[in-house]
Amino acid sequence: MHGETHKISRSGRLRAAVLGANDGIVSTASLLTGVAAANSSSHGILLAGVAGMVAGAMSMATGEYVSVSSQADTERAAIAEEQAELENNYQAETHELAAIYVQRGLNRQLAHEVATALMKHDALDAHTRDELGISDTSSARPFQAALFSAGSFALGAVIPFVAAIALPGIAGIVIAALLALVILGAVAARAGGAPVMRSMIRVSFWSSLAMALSGLTGTLFGHLAG
């Protein structure tokens, strides 16, 4: 037996972790940049950072859990519907599965033989995988997604927060955030087998834009409040 581990098998965890960390860095750095640009006190900046970290992590966990739970509910409903169809018209479902294999390149006789064998082994599993496109790799896992998102957000948010303490001023926050984002983009791209440079450029551009807009907003409202 030869077992292979493909990068796609960890795509769900990787997506949640990268999304959480990226959002943690960008949103916290943008928040700190905006507050600092409004001429807030050091205490106010750090307080905003802590509030942003906690609120962001909880928001990520909640949003990811609700979103993935909805996906899981849809998958369960589709599987239940497929189970009912198998119970009501087994033969038609066999022909339907064989037609899928014909579309994938098998001749009709072989497709029917494969469909019949797989249906005898586990009819619901065969239709879940090949008709509905649901597998262990792609199936929704709400708790896992929520945990990865919240944890990675908090870890990402720590970077600009620590920079705000160690390197007072907007420049320190922005530089620390961009460096972290570039590294994160490169690591995520390499782990997922995607182009590294494209990922680094993409995350740097959009993150810089987010922080610049936050800084401009903070500056504007700082002047208005003053």
Side-chain angles (χ1 to χ4, degrees), residues 140-155:
R141 296 179 175 85
F143 281 109
Q144 182 187 81
L147 180 63
F148 267 81
S149 294
S152 57
F153 181 97
L155 289 174

Side-chain angles (χ1 to χ4, degrees), residues 193-205:
V196 174
M197 186 57 65
R198 182 189 303 171
S199 177
M200 292 169 62
I201 294 174
R202 181 170 53 211
V203 72
S204 299
F205 173 77

Side-chain angles (χ1 to χ4, degrees), residues 178-215:
L178 286 177
L179 285 175
L181 287 165
V182 167
I183 294 172
L184 175 65
V187 171
R190 185 166 294 278
V196 174
M197 186 57 65
R198 182 189 303 171
S199 177
M200 292 169 62
I201 294 174
R202 181 170 53 211
V203 72
S204 299
F205 173 77
W206 290 109
S207 301
S208 298
L209 181 61
M211 287 184 282
L213 291 175
S214 297

Side-chain angles (χ1 to χ4, degrees), residues 83-105:
Q83 178 66 60
E85 292 176 355
L86 286 168
E87 293 173 356
N88 293 330
N89 201 335
Y90 187 92
Q91 193 62 34
E93 291 298 304
T94 302
H95 290 310
E96 183 179 29
L97 191 62
I100 292 174
Y101 298 143
V102 169
Q103 292 178 351
R104 294 180 181 178

Side-chain angles (χ1 to χ4, degrees), residues 28-29 31-33 36 41-43 45-50 157-174 176-177:
T28 304
L31 175 63
L32 292 172
T33 300
S41 64
S42 298
H43 177 74
I45 294 172
L46 297 182
L47 181 60
V50 171
V158 166
I159 296 172
F161 182 74
V162 171
I165 298 174
L167 303 169
I170 295 176
I173 297 172
V174 172

